[in-house]
Amino acid sequence: MKKNLCVIFGGKSPEHTISRLSVTSILNNLDADKYDIHLIGITKKGEWYLYTGDYANIKDGEWENDTAHKEKALISPDTSDRAVIVFGSNGVRKIGIDVIFPVLHGEYGEDGTIQGLFELSGIPYVGMGVMASANAMDKTSSKTVFAAAGIPQADWYVHNKGDDIDASIAAVEEKLGYPCFVKPARTGSSVGVGKAHNRDELKAAVENAEIYDRKVLIEENIDGHEVECAVLGNRDAKAAEVGEIRPKVEFYDFDAKYKDSSTELLIPADIKPEIKEQIREYAVKAFKALDGQGLSRVDFFVKFDNDEIILNEVNTLPGFTNISMYPKLWEAAGIKYGELLDRLIELAEERVK
């Protein structure tokens, strides 16, 4: 029998457009012989719709204008339903769901909020749970977790909106120096991230980051290889090959990730075999420190001067576009895109058994 799979995309975060790109790739690779797909799109305003139209209309957002193929819908928080509730022109109906596959990046999709709804619903879902998602999404919280696990990280400073900006700048200059990186604490895809080389740039970068989050993380600059490792599993999590990113710009920002085709992806990474193996061990260690489940992409730096490994961050729902590193790393390990999706769905079901 086919599984009833609810795939959710869109969302209110600044990464809404990336979700549309990811879900388009996922929908094109799911096996129609294995799954009956029930697609829920969430608009930037937070409106939920069951969408039954052409998948090709999702990538550019045109699905929202296809009124003939969308109906208001939601996931029932009532465990006895285990269903999507659809509010159609002919009344209310339920669609029973076996597994939820959230293809949501960033705020409200990757930070534990929607995972709480999934837990209430009693429906198995792909990806990490509430606490793991929340801790991974908040870069300041995850730093505390990883420090306790003994995983090396870049030094950091936290500025909260409303703090004296001049005092924060003075503290950063004393503790970290320039250049330094400025990040909203709870965004992904490098949204709101800036690099500061002096006091004026630091102030501007902090003010820009505050647009996206009241809490801003400022980190020391690490001069090294930018590498990523894909993790898959539950208690038996395994790491795939390590890949390297070589952007043509100064740092791997939003445009470099999703718009600039000149960014070079190397699989495997151009680093020593023993360093690569240590990265794979750290990736699984970070995943387990968060109480990870399902999947994550774990990002590191490897210093040019001494090969020291520095953990950057863990992404609990990494991009699944046709140029995204996560599926490419598993493909290099011998798991094709469609097989990877099957495995993620199986892991979701295993977790509740």
Side-chain angles (χ1 to χ4, degrees):
M1 287 180 62
K2 289 186 181 182
K3 287 185 173 68
N4 280 321
L5 181 68
C6 178
V7 179
I8 307 178
F9 72 94
K12 295 195 293 180
S13 90
E15 298 171 75
H16 177 99
T17 55
I18 308 308
S19 170
R20 296 202 313 257
L21 296 176
S22 289
V23 80
T24 299
S25 294
I26 286 172
L27 291 169
N28 289 333
N29 284 277
L30 282 168
D31 189 339
D33 292 330
K34 294 180 180 178
Y35 310 106
D36 280 327
I37 299 169
H38 307 280
L39 191 57
I40 288 182
I42 305 174
T43 70
K44 290 181 180 179
K45 294 180 181 179
E47 302 160 323
W48 289 47
Y49 294 99
L50 180 73
Y51 177 62
T52 56
D54 191 340
Y55 293 163
N57 291 330
I58 294 173
K59 191 174 182 179
D60 61 4
E62 276 302 306
W63 74 274
E64 291 189 35
N65 300 320
D66 188 0
T67 55
H69 294 99
K70 68 175 191 176
E71 301 170 286
K72 292 289 288 184
L74 54 81
I75 292 173
S76 173
D78 187 331
T79 306
S80 65
D81 287 332
R82 296 171 68 92
V84 169
I85 310 297
V86 183
F87 302 89
S89 57
N90 296 320
V92 179
R93 68 184 189 276
K94 295 180 183 179
I95 302 173
I97 299 298
D98 296 310
V99 180
I100 298 169
F101 197 139
V103 190
L104 299 164
H105 305 307
E107 195 176 15
Y108 304 117
E110 201 177 348
D111 60 1
T113 51
I114 202 166
Q115 284 76 17
L117 172 60
F118 300 156
E119 291 286 348
L120 289 172
S121 76
I123 304 171
Y125 59 94
V126 170
M128 291 197 187
V130 176
M131 186 62 73
S133 297
N135 279 331
M137 188 69 190
D138 188 323
K139 298 176 183 67
T140 61
S141 295
S142 59
K143 277 189 170 291
T144 302
V145 172
F146 300 144
I151 304 172
Q153 305 172 80
D155 202 1
W156 76 93
Y157 179 86
V158 179
H159 168 86
N160 291 287
K161 196 170 186 176
D163 288 352
D164 185 323
I165 184 65
D166 291 326
S168 289
I169 288 173
V172 168
E173 289 176 336
E174 180 178 351
K175 185 177 185 182
L176 308 179
Y178 297 109
C180 58
F181 280 92
V182 180
K183 305 175 179 180
R186 291 162 289 207
T187 64
S189 296
S190 298
V191 172
V193 175
K195 187 175 184 179
H197 301 82
N198 54 54
R199 177 169 289 206
D200 289 342
E201 289 184 3
L202 177 55
K203 184 176 181 180
V206 168
E207 290 172 347
N208 181 61
E210 287 179 340
I211 295 171
Y212 301 96
D213 201 324
R214 62 174 176 78
K215 186 162 54 172
V216 178
L217 176 69
I218 305 165
E219 291 180 307
E220 68 171 317
N221 179 64
I222 303 295
D223 190 20
H225 301 268
E226 295 185 50
V227 299
E228 299 181 344
C229 185
V231 177
L232 179 68
N234 290 331
R235 294 185 184 89
D236 61 342
K238 299 291 190 296
E241 183 57 89
V242 178
E244 183 174 354
I245 297 159
R246 290 185 178 176
K248 302 300 181 182
V249 293
E250 188 172 4
F251 73 94
Y252 196 41
D253 61 5
F254 182 91
D255 286 345
K257 287 181 177 179
Y258 299 108
K259 298 179 181 179
D260 184 0
S261 60
S262 68
T263 296
E264 187 179 2
L265 303 180
L266 299 181
I267 301 175
D270 185 20
I271 54 178
K272 296 174 183 175
E274 62 270 24
I275 300 300
K276 196 181 304 179
E277 189 56 36
Q278 180 65 72
I279 287 170
R280 295 177 73 246
E281 290 179 12
Y282 275 147
V284 173
K285 189 174 184 178
F287 183 83
K288 291 184 175 180
L290 289 167
D291 190 25
Q293 296 166 317
L295 76 160
S296 70
R297 194 195 72 230
V298 189
D299 301 347
F300 297 87
F301 295 103
V302 178
K303 288 185 177 181
F304 290 132
D305 58 353
N306 61 6
D307 286 336
E308 182 183 359
I309 300 166
I310 302 293
L311 173 63
N312 184 20
E313 62 185 31
V314 173
N315 296 269
T316 61
L317 198 76
F320 267 85
T321 71
N322 59 351
I323 61 169
S324 293
M325 185 69 94
Y326 186 85
K328 283 182 172 292
L329 288 171
W330 281 112
E331 186 175 3
I335 302 177
K336 294 180 180 178
Y337 197 124
E339 295 172 1
L340 178 60
L341 299 178
D342 290 341
R343 182 61 183 141
L344 289 170
I345 292 165
E346 290 167 3
L347 287 167
E349 293 179 302
E350 286 176 12
R351 192 170 77 191
V352 298
K353 290 180 180 178

